[in-house]
Amino acid sequence: MSEAKTTIAADAVAIETAPSKPRAKAGKKKAGSGASGTAIMLVGLVLLFLGWALAVKYLDVPSYILPSPVAVWHALWSGLAVSPTSPLGYYLPLWGTLKNAFIGLAIGSGLGLTLGSLMAESRVIEKLLMPYAFALQSLPKVAIAPLVVIWFGFGDGSKIAIAALLAFFPMLINSFTGLRSVEPERIDLMRSLSASRFETYRIVKLPNAAPYIFAGLDMAVVYALLGTIVAEFLGAQQGMGVVITQAQAVTDVAGVFAALVILGAMGILLHGIVRGMEARIVHWGDRGRK
């Protein structure tokens, strides 16, 4: 009997969130708007590099302050046009940074989602944990990072710990907010069907909070990458932070800019991956945006 009631509730939620047939035309419009957005981004990128090149050339900016785009391209190509296993290229440092960032992201976002769910379900847990979560977030991460390096060493452990620390809070707050934003009518419907708290969480609350969760994940993935780089600045054997530190030591400003370009491209790529996952999983969210 309980399974039948849960099935009825699931069907009701699915009918409410299901897309209508006219969505085909909206899909074409969405594809067109995505293409125009990409075109605008490319035009902006061209204008940026053009203004950069003209400023360096006609304002006589020294190369140790702002290198030319050509110098940055040469430094970038010298690190890309090598074997992926070469220690002189960007591939191995980038792999080390991304690996630690993803592990830290998985730990931090998983812990944030779990604690956010618990706080949304229990006022006692919320009052117990929320003040400490805000206190932890208010601490400057630059001051915490040396302590984390001392506790976890100069290996991958400290990088993963700082990445998890930075990824934790966005996922915690967004999941908590999304789970608490469910309409009371839906909760009353599940109660009228004698659904358990877990069934209500799985069928109603979690789908409702999915856009919030992906918004938190979108921030967390960038913060995890940032935390890994900060930890590599403090001490590491490999990583993009080490590449930047070594380039700064020999005043290779073009090399520093090349590494920053790679990190910026990774940030855009990771953001696109998260948005693509959200578009596939949270398909009912398009209706609200339209």
Side-chain angles (χ1 to χ4, degrees), residues 2 34 41 62 87 100 119 123 146 153 155-156 163 167 176-177 210 237 258 262 283:
S2 177
M41 184 184 66
N100 293 329
M119 289 191 300
R123 295 285 183 179
D156 293 340
F176 172 79
T177 304
Q237 300 296 326
I262 292 176
H283 53 82

Side-chain angles (χ1 to χ4, degrees), residues 33-122:
S33 62
S36 63
T38 303
I40 293 174
M41 184 184 66
L42 292 177
V43 170
L45 186 63
V46 171
L47 293 177
L48 173 64
F49 280 101
L50 181 61
W52 180 4
L54 293 176
V56 171
K57 181 177 180 181
Y58 292 104
L59 297 180
D60 295 329
V61 180
S63 59
Y64 59 85
I65 295 179
L66 182 65
S68 66
V70 176
V72 174
W73 168 253
H74 286 310
L76 182 63
W77 182 250
S78 65
L80 295 177
V82 295
S83 172
T85 59
S86 174
L88 301 178
Y90 292 124
Y91 299 103
L92 291 179
L94 182 61
W95 165 249
T97 298
L98 291 179
K99 179 189 66 174
N100 293 329
F102 278 126
I103 297 175
L105 173 67
I107 296 174
S109 59
L111 187 60
L113 178 59
T114 301
L115 293 182
S117 300
L118 292 175
M119 289 191 300
E121 291 294 321
S122 173

Side-chain angles (χ1 to χ4, degrees), residues 141-142 145 149 162 166 225-235 241:
K141 302 304 180 292
V142 178
V149 172
I162 296 179
L166 289 180
L225 184 62
L226 176 62
T228 305
I229 298 296
V230 170
E232 290 173 350
F233 284 155
L234 299 177

